[in-house]
Amino acid sequence: QVQPAGSGGGSVQAGGSLRLSCAASEGVFRTNLMGWFRQAPGKEREFVAGINWRGGSRYYADSVKGRFTITRDNDKNMVFLQMTSLKPEDTAVYYCAALDLRTKRPAGPLGQGTQVTVSS
């Protein structure tokens, strides 16, 4: 299986927006639930958002509810994370992976992450 690859990160000021994209192999995507995770320097990796196969069920960490939106395109094996009202505490490397909904942890390899830096 090809590991997921995230892209779309960058440096923005607080209050700005970014849209992250993740391309995954069909083998990874077929696991149904997909999620975004992030890890800031010196901190543990944390769950950010998740989405089921049809996109009808979405899950968010409390810290991003109302600001981030996860979507997916099953025809292209891609997952997206629209981030708005960004805060400095959102600064981290963001990864996508299959999601274990029960534990809110990756159910597969994280692959390439994308850096998001939010300045105050």
Side-chain angles (χ1 to χ4, degrees), residues 22-74:
C22 175
S25 67
E26 185 175 359
V28 172
F29 219 70
R30 199 177 296 163
T31 59
N32 192 20
L33 286 156
M34 293 295 295
W36 283 96
F37 306 85
R38 67 186 181 186
Q39 187 164 18
K43 296 187 177 180
E44 292 188 353
R45 183 181 60 223
E46 64 176 350
F47 166 79
V48 176
I51 187 169
N52 71 341
W53 171 255
R54 295 189 180 278
S57 295
R58 306 179 189 186
Y59 314 90
Y60 297 97
D62 288 343
S63 59
V64 306
K65 280 181 182 177
R67 299 188 299 121
F68 290 11
T69 302
I70 185 171
T71 57
R72 65 191 290 167
D73 184 333
N74 292 339

Side-chain angles (χ1 to χ4, degrees), residues 6 8 29 35 62 86 90 93 113-114 120:
F29 219 70
D62 288 343
L86 283 161
D90 294 318
V93 178
T114 185
S120 58

